[in-house]
Amino acid sequence: MWANAWHTEQSQSGSCYYFYKRMRHAPEMTVPPPLAPVGSVCVDSTSLELDLSTATVGGSLLLPRSDHPVPCVVIAGGTLSQRRDGELDREGAPHRTAMKRLAESLAKAGYGSFRYDQVGHGASRAKAGWSDLYEGDAQVLGAICDCLRERPECGKVIVAAESAGAYVACLAARAGSQADAYVFLGGFCGQAEEIFSYNYGRLAERVERDAEFAVWADERQLAPQIAFGRRWREMFDAAKAGQDYFEVIDGAYRQRVKITRRREELDNPPDEMFAYIKAPALAIAGTRDLNVAPHHAAAAVAIMQRAGNLKCRSVLIEGADHNFQVAPDDADLAFRERYTFASFLRPYHPELDRQILAWLREVAPAESVRKDGYTQALQAVEIEPRTATSPERIKLAPGVTIIDDILDREKTAGVDTLEGFIGPLLRTSEMRAHFIDMPAGLYLEEHPHSKGSIIYTVRGKWALKSLGRWHVMKPGSLYWFGDDIPTGFQVPFREDAYILIFKAASGDDDDAFIRYLEGMAAKLRKEQAAGTPFRLTDLPASHPALEFARHVNPRLETGFAIKPE
């Protein structure tokens, strides 16, 4: 929330009061025309520039395409999210896109979202009358909610407030701008002094007692944070005395900082402001949050419930930090990463999205959009790593999925069966593709398949049979067979043969397909035990299949131990 307040006081954190002029004064312009639409057949990403009374605010509206209004989430960033995607404009801070990641996750589940640059960053610029206070941020948030309510594409309006955004959302609610639901992400619920003690007081204490750490902190240029850790009590005394500025002096470090927000926090205690939240609310915290103590989520819920709002609950995510990234197990490493922002490089905790979406489905149900790749890679290439049931897939753009090398066993997944190694590749709502790596010596008698396919040979040679007629297939061969048409296979050569199967049928998810293959593998083993042949070596020497095999491979006997008569 105020985890880096020494910086935000000086440069950016506050937004100002404004209203959407076109909404108030030009009804014919209530739905701004889309600007530079980017998206897919299911989702549109539109860059908006809102011309407001005290600021021009740039943001991104991400909306699933639908014939009816969809719930829309206003993502209110905190101190660490100065730009709409979640970036922190600070030299040396790793690139962070928490807000964009959340927006895309919401879109996949059928929820719209609007995220925006804080004033002074990105495309958001202050105008005359700009006021750098949390109250101004709250008026901004309220105005954005009003704008979304006016858009015909948007139904319920939900506020997802990150860190300091929780305080802003509470102030907006007090001013009369109630969202239809709230999600608080690492929100602070205490007295203002506590955040400085928790963030900077602990840092200063560690420097005092640990000489090695003091050297490390000096090398990382943490003097401003250490100074606040030593002088925050004096700073709040100055705020209580009504001063607008405070001179932070700590050894050689000197800085004059604006403290009007500290006065605002004293006049409007952050914990008390949660009493103004009357809509359903979910407060989430990470158990390893080093910016806001984890118990604040439960404290916020307690205050809301005492004020009569019983439609709220809290969730703790084990192992997550303030930004809901996976914190290291080493407590000392986590402490250091918190002050260098190295934690920004860690993966996001998968439980965060599950908890948010489960809550939203309760309070503002949405229809899920297509799940066949059209809502992925909206704004950047995404890589889905290989799992036990799925190959590695590259999402180049919405509706474009790549498997770099289908022959790479290290990047594909599958099940060993008597018919070969079989695994999933790609699937959509209309079609699916999987592979079979057939072993040398394979034999399958003709049998019908309920659903026809198109099959392409990638590697090796093998033979296709139908109505007793054989044909040798080789790399580049392609064939089709219809529904319920019987076909048989054999691989009478020493090299395995790799084929691709394309079916005009909706694809099961990878887990379901793997379970099906595991069941099929067990069934085939039972058939083999009952006498069904699955290898050329299982056939008698005079079997017609072997006669064809000898014809196409005269060296068959030297490669396979064919049964004598």
Side-chain angles (χ1 to χ4, degrees), residues 32-197:
L35 301 178
V38 177
S40 71
V41 297
C42 290
V43 179
D44 285 318
S45 179
T46 304
S47 180
L48 297 180
E49 186 173 272
L50 308 182
D51 185 18
L52 307 167
S53 63
T54 58
T56 299
V57 174
S60 293
L61 181 66
L62 193 61
L63 287 174
R65 291 185 180 177
S66 175
D67 57 3
H68 58 269
V70 300
C72 194
V73 180
V74 180
I75 303 176
T79 303
L80 300 178
S81 297
Q82 296 170 335
R83 292 178 182 257
R84 71 187 72 180
D85 288 346
E87 305 99 320
L88 174 64
D89 284 339
R90 187 177 303 185
E91 185 178 355
H95 187 60
R96 176 177 182 263
T97 56
M99 302 296 96
K100 182 185 79 169
R101 191 203 66 81
L102 176 57
E104 293 183 349
S105 180
L106 291 168
K108 294 172 188 177
Y111 292 89
S113 65
F114 181 77
R115 61 192 194 277
Y116 54 98
D117 300 326
Q118 295 184 11
V119 175
H121 297 270
S124 295
R125 303 174 298 278
K127 294 182 179 180
W130 166 257
S131 175
D132 189 8
L133 290 171
Y134 286 117
E135 183 181 9
D137 295 344
Q139 292 166 329
V140 165
L141 179 58
I144 290 174
C145 290
D146 289 344
C147 292
L148 292 178
R149 291 187 193 281
E150 293 290 334
R151 294 188 70 101
E153 311 100 311
C154 299
K156 287 187 176 181
V157 174
I158 300 105
V159 168
E162 178 204 48
S163 194
Y167 184 47
V168 172
C170 291
L171 291 174
R174 184 180 67 169
S177 180
Q178 285 279 344
D180 295 302
Y182 293 88
V183 178
F184 298 116
L185 303 169
F188 178 75
C189 182
Q191 298 295 304
E193 297 93 331
E194 184 182 343
I195 200 71
F196 281 83
S197 174

Side-chain angles (χ1 to χ4, degrees), residues 338-524:
R338 177 258 176 271
Y339 292 99
T340 62
F341 304 110
S343 59
F344 286 7
L345 299 173
R346 294 193 173 272
Y348 285 90
H349 201 296
E351 189 62 22
L352 175 65
D353 290 1
R354 285 195 285 268
Q355 291 291 342
I356 291 175
L357 293 175
W359 171 256
L360 290 177
R361 291 185 186 109
E362 288 183 28
V363 300
E367 293 184 5
S368 295
V369 298
R370 292 166 64 170
K371 296 180 180 295
D372 49 8
Y374 286 97
T375 58
Q376 293 178 282
L378 289 168
Q379 301 176 60
V381 174
E382 297 179 12
I383 296 180
E384 292 182 349
R386 177 191 180 276
T387 69
T389 59
S390 302
E392 178 181 280
R393 297 183 177 113
I394 300 169
K395 305 293 185 177
L396 182 67
V400 181
T401 301
I402 300 167
I403 295 179
D404 234 9
D405 186 356
I406 60 175
L407 299 175
D408 188 347
R409 281 287 189 100
E410 296 298 318
K411 293 187 177 181
T412 55
V415 175
D416 276 308
T417 77
L418 289 171
E419 294 185 2
F421 185 68
I422 310 175
L425 290 172
L426 296 174
R427 67 184 189 279
T428 72
S429 58
E430 300 91 9
M431 67 184 75
R432 65 189 182 201
H434 65 277
F435 69 86
I436 304 179
D437 199 351
M438 301 185 294
L442 172 69
Y443 174 76
L444 294 174
E445 188 50 80
E446 287 188 52
H447 58 286
H449 301 78
S450 61
K451 187 68 177 175
S453 300
I454 292 176
I455 298 182
Y456 176 78
T457 302
V458 178
R459 183 195 66 217
K461 293 193 298 181
W462 60 286
L464 168 68
K465 179 186 179 186
S466 188
L467 286 180
R469 305 163 190 165
W470 290 98
H471 186 87
V472 174
M473 312 295 288
K474 58 187 181 300
S477 295
L478 180 71
Y479 79 98
W480 161 84
F481 69 90
D483 297 352
D484 299 312
I485 298 297
T487 57
F489 295 178
Q490 66 164 294
V491 185
F493 307 99
R494 293 307 302 162
E495 182 186 6
D496 298 345
Y498 189 106
I499 60 175
L500 291 178
I501 297 93
F502 301 91
K503 288 185 179 291
S506 60
D508 294 330
D509 63 58
D510 294 337
D511 290 347
F513 187 60
I514 291 294
R515 288 195 299 272
Y516 160 75
L517 293 175
E518 291 170 342
M520 185 186 79
K523 176 177 176 289
L524 296 180

Side-chain angles (χ1 to χ4, degrees), residues 2 21 64 102 138 248 256 270 283 326 331 391 397 418 420 424 438 455 502 539 565:
W2 296 269
K21 282 197 272 189
L102 176 57
V248 181
R256 185 171 182 260
V326 179
L418 289 171
M438 301 185 294
I455 298 182
F502 301 91
L539 303 175
E565 290 291 351

